[in-house]
Amino acid sequence: MRTPVRNANKLSDGGAGPQPRPGVGLIVNPVAGLGGAVGLKGTDGAAAQQALALGARPKSQVRAARALELLSALKNRIDLVCAPGAMGADLATSLGFSCRTLGTAGAATTSRDTRDAAAAMAEAGVSMIMFAGGDGTARDVFDGAPGVGLLGVPTGVKMHSGVFGASPEAAGRVAALVLGSEPARVEWREAEIMDIDEEALRLGHVAARLYGYARSPLERTAMQNCKTPSRRDDDPALDALARRIVREMDPGILHVLGCGTTMRKIKRQLGGEGTLLGVDVALNGRLIATDVDEARLLRLTSGVPFKVITSVTGGQGFVFGRGNQQISAAVLQRAGRDNVMIVTSQSKLVMLDPPCLRVDTGDRQVDAMLAGYMRVHTAPGHTMMMRIAA
Amino acid sequence: MRTPSKAMPTVREVHQARWNEPVVMEMGVPGRRGAVYSAPEAVVEKAVGKAADLVPAAMRRKNRPALPEMTEPDVLRHYLHLSQMVHGMMGVNLFGTCTMKYNPRISTHLTLRPELATLHPYQPEETLQGLLEIVHSFDLILRELSGMDQFVFQAAGGAGAAYTHACITRGYFQARGELAQRNEIISTIQTHPCNQATAATAGFNVITLPLEENGYPSIEALQGALSNRTAALMVNNPDDMGVYNPQIKDWVKLVKKAGALAFYDHANFNGVMSKIRARELGFDACMFMLHKTFGGPKGGGGPAVGAYGCSAELAPFLPKPIVRLDDKTGRYRLDADRKLSVGKVREYFGNLQVVFYAYAWARAMGGDGITEASDLAVLANNYMEKKLLAIPGVVKSQPQMTMHRMEMTRYGLGPLKEETGIGIVEVGARMTDYGVDSPWLSHEPWVVPEPFTPEPGELWSKEDIDYWIAALAKVCEEARTNPDLVRTAPHNAAIHAINGARLDDPAWWATTWRAYKRKQAPAARAGGKAASSR
């Protein structure tokens, strides 16, 4: 539930005299999102090294830059406080921002560095911290600076929390609104800091766990909501749909199956358990590859016809770019729009606010290819015509 | 004589009787009878035979019915008591999307007259001329209101009429050799779910259009859904929220251009009676609820009628028989020789007693009266909307839509629930303590939290509407000052708060005595033993 708090984050007390430049922190988790395309379910702890070893290419800086570029016009009007080196200062400087640096960072950055930098920024009195990362980064920033407004640039593997922009550009636009000439026009809300519930995952359910509430800008079309769980009473329709989909799979066609509990219903109809948080591939009625990464997907789909079946993140409406980065822009480009099938419950669709699906593949051309109206399958013989916003 | 007051009326607590009797099936005593008659005299029996033999053998019961054995006073007393334990549907009930109307007692008496009540649909049509004349005359009235070319009254409700349309769509495209290709029906998320359900039942794939931020589905979504596979569009207008689609004419044009049929679910007709005609908007077919808009009784699961009307092009596919007037002889006949007909969607002619109610209502109102009723319904709703939105905790669905709602508006108690933990179910239960029927819970609670849709229509007086609003305002206030009082309501009803946890559990619900004994009596007996052992 969104609870707007108008002007709760005023950047000045409105008193007489020259307005101080609004102070904003910038923290980039440089390894965020590394695990996505290589099939890891996050990039926490040792996973970053593992991801690099698997060939992952860092994308966090690039995506953070897409957001920061939208603040160019405000370069001289904001007091930018950055975490050192790769955690923010390098990026800001490369884009022509002048900034102060707080905190420390070693060659290999850690979550401790993120928490320390956030705490130092809170101590310095910034009114908002803009961070680039996923749910793990959001938790670290929140832990370090619990009272400070947060705005996340989505660069991680999972973004279940409600503090992220719907895309890097959307986060940049919101930041520009907050830091621009009319900050009082921005409403704020208590947004959820979420992360995957490891306990539930061990029991076979994908569920996000609530870690706390952080103040975050309320901009309906630009900010994503937190992830919401599936409803059990949707199960009969989705079970029946899973049976229908498997029955109607064309022989000789590869089917790339996305993540989550809805997709697991299809995977189970194929006779296996599949990978709950991973991408699997089916051919001729059985799973032929499980927990595949982007590179393997590209090899498997090279020169052969294939379809991509995926679901929707509840509450957020993401189809691609959240938790399923293995199905990368390159894979989707190869598949083409007509070979993408979206499967989810009708209740999940009608609860979306705003009422549209989203894609954030990291490739604007692929996002544009996927944008527009598409049929989403909700039960056998039932579809909803949903708008996909890039 | 009462003088209307500008002040908020005083809300009165009422108290229902509570007789605490078992259900009638448990009240019998072996040997008791309502009336006992002496055996026929021998001379009578000799003349006409045994009474039992008057009933054909195939129709005789093999076993006596398992009814409770009771005296007539026992039965009358029990049902009097039951009637004292409800509001009797005579309170101020603003059941939204239902268009509750008073059913004049004279209409009830008309339907009970032997000229109707003792008729059998298999009588020769020559002996049904009066009945057929009324059916035909009412058909003409509905044609006038809709612009359609023919109406039938076989469907026993709105969903039945929607199903009729799905079947006619199937028949129409089958006759054109396009059914294999045109296997999709488009609807919208705020159209009553019976449309999507009946389309699926008739074998079509269903495409549902979601609402956009402006409160209704976009024309782009419709364009995305339309193709040469489209068989029909089935929509409410206004939808279940009371929102009219301002682009509806363009919608119908696009549907027709795609070669599909357009069906107007006119369940919420009250606000536009005599103002718009479905055919003039381009629709091929529409339906009216005679048990709602046209003054037939509604509620209690009683008989209903979904009057289905269509263009001349679709008329050959209508359910049979059709009532026809032979211009040469002036006689009415039942036309059952219809090769393209979809057959029957209901036994015999449907619930014709409800057609009688509706015919009586329409004739009593007249054309001008129907127009005035529509105006009053819109006026009453907008009056109520202004006052309801002044109650803290009440919000309107899609508040960004500034255009007037017509005959109904969906509201939500989401803010009250957030503030107090009290939602529409508890509020509705508490309202009954003040003599107001609990508001009809609305569809789609996932779109508007804690929804309710009061619809004042043209029936209720200003005082009645003010009383209903005052009752709601008082309960909302109680939710803040004494939430437990509301949470545990009703307090003045014959039965206090019930546990609804199993209401949607097929393993538990029971709509017949036999089902009750099978499903619940063992548990009740076990519970009773447990209770008595304590």
Side-chain angles (χ1 to χ4, degrees), chain A residues 169-183:
Chain A
E169 287 77 10
R173 286 197 299 274
V174 174
L177 278 175
V178 173
L179 302 169
S181 56
E182 293 187 90

Side-chain angles (χ1 to χ4, degrees), chain B residues 367-447:
Chain B
D368 291 343
I370 289 174
T371 303
E372 188 182 0
S374 187
D375 291 343
L376 286 172
V378 174
L379 178 67
N381 183 54
N382 281 274
Y383 170 77
M384 193 169 71
E385 181 177 311
K386 189 135 184 140
K387 294 194 106 177
L388 282 178
L389 292 177
I391 301 173
V394 176
V395 291
K396 178 180 169 181
S397 69
Q398 286 128 352
Q400 77 277 15
M401 299 190 72
T402 53
M403 69 181 90
H404 284 292
R405 306 283 163 95
M406 302 283 272
E407 75 291 341
M408 65 179 186
T409 308
R410 177 156 302 170
Y411 304 89
L413 286 178
L416 184 79
K417 174 96 174 184
E418 272 189 58
E419 182 187 342
T420 66
I422 304 287
I424 184 62
V425 174
E426 294 93 342
V427 167
R430 178 62 179 154
M431 285 175 80
T432 65
D433 286 340
Y434 297 113
V436 172
D437 284 294
S438 185
W440 197 262
L441 297 186
S442 299
H443 320 290
E444 301 104 5
W446 48 84
V447 178

Side-chain angles (χ1 to χ4, degrees), chain A residues 1 3 220-221 231 346 350-351 354-355 373 375 381-387, chain B residues 184 189 205-213 218 220-221 224-225 229 418 446:
Chain A
M1 186 59 67
T3 311
R220 288 178 65 252
T221 56
R231 288 158 45 131
Q346 191 177 76
V350 298
M351 282 189 282
Y373 284 90
R375 293 181 187 203
H382 288 261
T383 54
M384 273 188 79
M385 184 61 65
M386 294 298 295
R387 179 165 53 89
Chain B
E184 294 178 350
I189 191 72
N205 291 329
V206 179
I207 306 171
T208 304
L209 310 183
L211 301 186
E212 296 286 351
E213 299 217 49
S218 72
E220 291 78 16
R229 296 186 310 236
E418 272 189 58
W446 48 84

